[in-house]
Amino acid sequence: ATHTTTGRRVLVVDDELLVRWSLCETLSDRGYTVLEAEDGKGAVRTLADATELPDVVLLDFRLPDSKDLNLLERIISMVPEGRVILMTAYGTPELANEALERGAFKVLYKPFEMQEVTSLVA
């Protein structure tokens, strides 16, 4: 059951249950409709099935089925109006630059403060 508020949808893609859970909880508490996926395939499927696309996608860089920036590009192409924020614990300046060149809105380094995420999403 998702209640729809226009312009307030977020997709959280992370294979770490705890990270995903805390992001979902935090964003739901702030009134966002939150979708979640634990891997690249799930993220693509969720976007393909969504009646309304998310405005923001929080995408973990390293997923069981994704180790490069191709998933980022694919998701960006699926949410042309949205913003995709890449989350990474393995970030190098090179990775961040390439992600931004490929269209990421921002690169967020883990571990991050929830406050950082919520203001970024907002």
Side-chain angles (χ1 to χ4, degrees):
T2 44
H3 54 93
T4 314
T5 355
T6 12
R8 309 273 297 177
R9 298 168 69 80
V10 182
L11 169 61
V12 175
V13 187
D14 200 309
D15 58 323
E16 286 175 72
L17 183 59
L18 199 62
V19 174
R20 205 167 68 234
W21 179 83
S22 37
L23 282 168
C24 290
E25 286 294 291
T26 304
L27 292 165
S28 302
D29 287 350
R30 285 179 171 64
Y32 292 95
T33 301
V34 186
L35 306 163
E36 53 179 294
E38 61 184 334
D39 57 20
K41 244 198 313 287
V44 168
R45 198 174 40 243
T46 301
L47 290 172
D49 295 347
T51 40
E52 284 183 61
L53 289 170
D55 305 282
V56 176
V57 178
L58 290 167
L59 174 65
D60 190 28
F61 173 59
R62 280 205 184 177
L63 295 165
D65 59 356
S66 171
K67 301 272 183 282
D68 57 30
L69 290 169
N70 294 336
L71 179 64
L72 172 75
E73 281 197 324
R74 179 146 187 216
I75 287 181
I76 288 171
S77 71
M78 291 179 82
V79 288
E81 303 293 306
R83 300 271 182 276
V84 182
I85 297 166
L86 191 71
M87 305 181 291
T88 180
Y90 311 93
T92 60
E94 294 76 31
L95 172 74
N97 288 338
E98 195 185 338
L100 295 169
E101 273 168 22
R102 291 197 189 195
F105 177 65
K106 188 105 169 88
V107 176
L108 196 56
Y109 294 101
K110 291 175 165 184
F112 43 71
E113 296 294 318
M114 279 302 158
Q115 184 50 55
E116 200 184 345
V117 179
T118 50
S119 42
L120 200 54
V121 168

